[in-house]
Amino acid sequence: MSKEEALEFEGTVMEVLPESRYRVTLANGVEILAYGSGKMKMHRIKVLMGDKVTVEMSPYDLTKGRITFRHLGEGARGPAPARRRR
């Protein structure tokens, strides 16, 4: 494993914390602290409680991670709304 390799996990946002941080429970049951990636902040992608996300973690610290992708679809808020053309 090289130094630049990151581990990717699927998880669910359990709690939205101050300063753009999130408490995420991974698919294997481990709870970590995560933050949104720079691209997500730049494109103003909102992450809410109950969203399914992909988290990237360093192999050196498995208690913290970076949210790199928010999955669309059914979450805590129900099905995704249909897109309409104007």
Side-chain angles (χ1 to χ4, degrees), residues 5-60:
E5 274 191 51
L7 307 171
E8 280 197 355
F9 295 99
E10 302 291 319
T12 305
V13 176
M14 290 293 135
E15 186 179 359
V16 179
L17 302 170
E19 299 179 9
S20 300
R21 301 225 180 242
Y22 307 93
R23 189 162 315 282
V24 177
T25 301
L26 302 178
N28 60 6
V30 176
E31 197 170 280
I32 65 166
L33 191 65
Y35 63 93
S37 68
K39 289 275 187 178
M40 291 183 73
K41 290 178 187 177
M42 185 174 75
H43 293 289
R44 295 187 181 104
I45 296 173
K46 303 286 186 215
V47 177
L48 302 174
M49 195 167 70
D51 283 345
K52 304 283 185 207
V53 294
T54 300
V55 179
E56 198 174 78
M57 297 169 59
S58 166
Y60 300 110

Side-chain angles (χ1 to χ4, degrees), residues 45-46 51-53 69-75 77-81 83:
I45 296 173
K46 303 286 186 215
D51 283 345
K52 304 283 185 207
V53 294
F69 190 80
R70 178 179 156 248
H71 298 278
L72 296 176
E74 294 196 28
R77 298 180 314 273
R83 298 193 69 165

